[in-house]
């Protein structure tokens, strides 16, 4: 082959290669074009094989042409590659557009049930004074629910707790959390500061203020020298934390077989602030719990020497506390699981 023919072939290849480069639709096609013209077995390389047949003087000249063609095709390939990348980016940007101004989709969020939330609030206040949460069984035996609380079988005081019995000898659904007092006294040693939240059951006709299933929180403190004044001070702190620091409180005489003396603890009405209204029976006061000094008989059943130790106990209905905190007038709302009601407590 002579110089002229080779030069002409190289120029045709340049033209073909530039058209092919320009026509490559994507990175893979461009790579294919690159290999077929410039690769080790590519068309340009093939032609350069014939360089040995040329005159020595012509070789540098054809070499220069070949390098020029190769350089031009390489440069066109780089330009094409950049254009393909830019187009690819452009189409991805268009396809994957995120409109950051679109309002988010709301995720349905659950919330704590107001009774659980109220138990937590009660736990928190007494926790500050070192009271530790314990739990007893919902199915209790008659001895612990009544007898060890100084309520013998057939005693008229049993009428205070309309009882639901179960099909196990001498067992019942606990009517209050007070049997937990016995369990804690038997399991631990003084000083005792225990809080006993839990579900209780009574054979009651259901209305706005009665349920057959409800929650109580019981408190028990046993130590040397524990007094009614300690009980009063603690309950004042509790009432002020939940119902406001300015709220007046009072003890009234009460009766429970397991405490002596027994009291009812009242707070100034949270609806009328003590003025008197239908919610408080126009007395200006609301009873929020029952309490008293643990009866020596009960301490003894708990394995504690009443000559050395004294104790106080209190018990409150959680639904009642929650109703006062949130201005709810019917406790049945707490068990109906109506989301329109529950969603107000987020
Ligand atoms: N257990 C009593 C009730 O259910 C409340 C109470 C607890 C009273 C502790 C005094 C001491 O009515």
């Amino acid at each position: 082959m002579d110089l002229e023919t080779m030069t002409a072939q190289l120029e045709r290849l340049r033209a073909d290669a530039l058209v092919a480069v320009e026509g490559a639709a994507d990175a893979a096609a461009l790579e294919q074009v690159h290999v077929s013209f410039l690769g080790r077995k590519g068309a340009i390389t093939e032609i350069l094989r014939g360089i040995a047949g040329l005159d020595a003087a012509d070789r540098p000249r054809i070499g220069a042409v070949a390098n020029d063609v190769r350089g031009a095709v390489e440069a066109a390939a780089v330009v094409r590659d950049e254009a393909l990348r830019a187009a690819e980016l452009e189409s991805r940007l268009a396809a994957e557009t995120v409109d950051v101004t679109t309002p988010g989709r709301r995720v349905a969020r659950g919330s704590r049930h107001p009774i659980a939330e109220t138990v937590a609030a009660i736990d928190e206040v007494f926790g500050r004074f070192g009271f530790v949460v314990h739990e007893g069984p919902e199915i209790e035996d008659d001895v612990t629910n009544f007898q060890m609380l100084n309520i013998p079988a057939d005693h008229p005081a049993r009428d205070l707790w309309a009882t639901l019995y179960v099909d196990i000898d001498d067992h019942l659904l606990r009517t209050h959390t007070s049997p937990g007092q016995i369990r804690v006294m038997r399991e631990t040693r003084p000083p005792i500061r225990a809080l006993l939240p839990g579900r209780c059951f009574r054979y009651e006709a259901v209305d706005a203020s009665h349920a057959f299933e409800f929650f109580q929180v019981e408190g028990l403190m046993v130590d040397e020298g524990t007094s009614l004044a300690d009980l009063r001070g603690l309950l004042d702190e509790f009432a002020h934390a939940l119902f406001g620091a300015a709220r007046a409180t009072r003890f009234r005489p009460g009766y429970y077989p397991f405490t002596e003396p027994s009291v009812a603890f009242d707070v100034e009405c949270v609806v009328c602030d003590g003025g008197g209204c239908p919610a408080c029976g126009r007395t200006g006061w609301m009873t929020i719990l029952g309490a008293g000094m643990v009866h020596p008989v009960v301490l003894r059943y708990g394995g504690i020497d009443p000559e050395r130790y004294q104790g106080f106990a209190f018990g409150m209905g959680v639904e009642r506390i929650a109703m006062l905190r949130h201005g709810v007038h019917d406790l049945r709302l707490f068990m109906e699981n109506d989301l329109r009601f529950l969603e107000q407590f987020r």
Side-chain angles (χ1 to χ4, degrees), residues 317-337:
V318 178
E319 284 79 2
R320 178 157 174 76
I321 303 284
M323 287 165 85
L324 295 175
R325 266 156 65 81
H326 298 296
V328 174
H329 299 296
D330 190 331
L331 76 81
R332 287 170 290 196
L333 289 165
F334 292 125
M335 2 254 163
E336 282 168 358
N337 288 335

Side-chain angles (χ1 to χ4, degrees), residues 144-206:
T144 318
N145 192 84
F146 287 127
Q147 296 173 40
M148 287 185 172
L149 292 170
N150 200 27
I151 312 165
D154 303 323
H155 193 278
R158 289 211 176 199
D159 285 356
L160 293 172
W161 297 275
T163 307
L164 287 159
Y165 291 90
V166 296
D167 271 353
I168 311 168
D169 267 351
D170 294 321
H171 279 70
L172 43 79
L173 298 180
R174 67 176 169 200
T175 57
H176 50 178
T177 43
S178 298
Q181 291 185 34
I182 300 295
R183 291 179 179 275
V184 168
M185 285 189 276
R186 297 194 148 209
E187 283 160 19
T188 62
R189 293 285 85 207
I192 293 170
R193 272 171 290 180
L195 210 59
L196 295 141
R199 195 188 293 268
C200 304
F201 308 85
R202 287 184 198 171
Y203 184 60
E204 296 269 7
V206 174

Side-chain angles (χ1 to χ4, degrees), residues 149 160-161 175-179 181 200 202 214 216-219 255-259 261-263 289-294 312-317:
L149 292 170
L160 293 172
W161 297 275
T175 57
H176 50 178
T177 43
S178 298
Q181 291 185 34
C200 304
R202 287 184 198 171
F214 55 94
Q216 286 191 338
V217 175
E218 188 94 4
Y255 171 72
Y256 298 100
F258 35 89
T259 47
S262 300
V263 297
L289 56 82
M293 299 305 293
V294 180
F312 63 64
F314 55 86
M316 67 186 92

